[in-house]
Amino acid sequence: MRGYLATFDAPDPSDAYQIVGYQEYANALNQLIPLVQNANAEQLEAYNEIVSELDEFSVYVNLSRRFGRLAGTSLAQRYKQSYLHEFPQVPNDDFRRRGIGWVLALARLEHGAVEVGYQDNANPFSLNTLTAIERMPFSELLLDGVRSHYWTMSSDPVTYQLIKGQVAKVSDRTALAHGRRAVMVQHMLEALDKIAGNSFEPAQRSELQTWHRELSSIREGVTYVMVETYRAVIEQQRFEQMKLRGCPALVDGIRRDISEGKGQVTVKGDR
């Protein structure tokens, strides 16, 4: 099994919390995956019982339910019409889950999310090492993460500005941040489809596919903003000389669009 790494190109004091969190999740995966894989049924039950008794290892789910409280807004109406809600499992469910599978799933999700945004990894969530005890928790956390990010982006005016190509209102830094988030959520959707796609009803699958397409529109908006922002540089220098920093998948997509002519922008006065 490959080790889970936490590597960064250059130190930045503002990244301290992210670096610490990334390293902690990497350590958790490196320790817990072999522990679970090598345990027999009796040992695994004991591990799970120990972790379940410790409040500090509780994992909270269905965080996206907060969007349903925005009464009177168009977003709240869209949220209520969604087929992807999570419902209480028991009366007065506090949506707190316990067990080693939940801890492992959370570590995998958080570590993978950083991998998507900052590393060039074709398998950011390392699905090949997914253990049986975390499969259901990981699916649930993926879906809740997708819901939370999707509804957050839907309520953000910058998302609308990107889709509409309102370059003057969105800086390149902001565009890349939103693009990184869109890429991350798409990777989460794709991972969810691989491990739990067959469990969704047709209406749910259709909604997830719609979300994926909308995220692609955001990425296209990011490309537009970046090309417009650096238009003068692109005209003076070849695109290979552009210095873009951000999500590797997003930056590669921007460069590819430019090289294939898909990123060309025509403005009034162009011939």
Side-chain angles (χ1 to χ4, degrees):
M1 184 191 75
R2 76 173 183 87
Y4 291 84
L5 305 178
T7 58
F8 290 83
D9 294 333
D12 184 340
S14 66
D15 290 334
Y17 292 115
Q18 294 182 35
I19 294 173
V20 171
Y22 186 32
Q23 183 65 59
E24 287 179 344
Y25 288 124
N27 287 339
L29 291 169
N30 283 325
Q31 299 298 323
L32 291 179
I33 289 178
L35 183 72
V36 168
Q37 289 177 333
N38 296 325
N40 58 37
E42 184 178 359
Q43 291 170 329
L44 191 57
E45 183 178 356
Y47 298 153
N48 197 51
E49 183 177 349
I50 292 171
V51 173
S52 298
E53 292 176 350
L54 300 173
D55 289 340
E56 57 266 37
F57 289 126
S58 297
V59 176
Y60 288 88
V61 300
N62 200 17
L63 302 180
S64 58
R65 68 186 185 277
R66 68 184 185 276
F67 291 99
R69 302 168 186 165
L70 303 176
T73 66
S74 59
L75 180 65
Q77 186 62 29
R78 287 179 55 203
Y79 175 85
K80 291 177 181 178
Q81 294 172 348
S82 174
Y83 293 100
L84 296 167
H85 296 310
E86 181 174 347
F87 298 99
Q89 295 183 357
V90 296
N92 300 317
D93 191 352
D94 62 357
F95 295 102
R96 179 169 62 174
R97 305 293 182 253
R98 298 172 181 268
I100 194 170
W102 286 99
V103 173
L104 187 50
L106 179 62
R108 185 182 297 276
L109 177 64
E110 296 290 350
H111 183 272
V114 178
E115 287 280 303
V116 171
Y118 296 93
Q119 306 293 343
D120 189 9
N121 186 347
N123 184 24
F125 297 108
S126 302
L127 297 182
N128 55 304
T129 66
L130 189 68
T131 60
I133 198 171
E134 63 172 313
R135 191 176 190 89
M136 184 279 291
F138 186 57
S139 298
E140 187 170 333
L141 290 176
L142 274 173
L143 180 56
D144 191 38
V146 167
R147 286 194 305 253
S148 294
H149 284 289
Y150 175 80
W151 293 117
T152 298
M153 295 181 78
S154 295
S155 65
D156 189 341
V158 173
T159 300
Y160 175 84
Q161 293 163 359
L162 282 169
I163 293 175
K164 294 299 182 181
Q166 297 177 355
V167 180
K169 296 183 178 181
V170 185
S171 69
D172 57 338
R173 185 180 181 89
T174 299
L176 282 175
H178 278 69
R180 180 186 293 118
R181 189 179 218 176
V183 170
M184 179 187 70
V185 179
Q186 283 188 318
H187 273 79
M188 292 167 68
L189 280 166
E190 291 158 10
L192 181 64
D193 183 60
K194 288 179 181 178
I195 66 174
N198 293 333
S199 66
F200 292 106
E201 298 293 333
Q204 293 175 314
R205 289 187 62 85
S206 178
E207 187 171 1
L208 290 171
Q209 290 166 357
T210 297
W211 288 5
H212 195 282
R213 288 194 297 270
E214 291 178 8
L215 292 165
S216 292
S217 296
I218 295 173
R219 293 177 63 174
E220 291 172 3
V222 172
T223 298
Y224 184 92
V225 168
M226 296 304 298
V227 172
E228 275 289 86
T229 301
Y230 292 101
R231 183 176 177 81
V233 177
I234 294 171
E235 290 177 347
Q236 295 172 9
Q237 304 178 23
R238 293 188 179 277
F239 74 91
E240 290 90 350
Q241 297 174 340
M242 289 178 64
K243 300 294 185 181
L244 295 178
R245 297 189 63 183
C247 172
L250 185 65
V251 171
D252 288 345
I254 292 172
R255 289 199 173 106
R256 185 167 56 251
D257 279 357
I258 295 172
S259 68
E260 295 175 356
K262 298 177 182 178
Q264 184 176 359
V265 179
T266 301
V267 297
K268 187 175 181 179
D270 281 355
R271 294 182 179 179

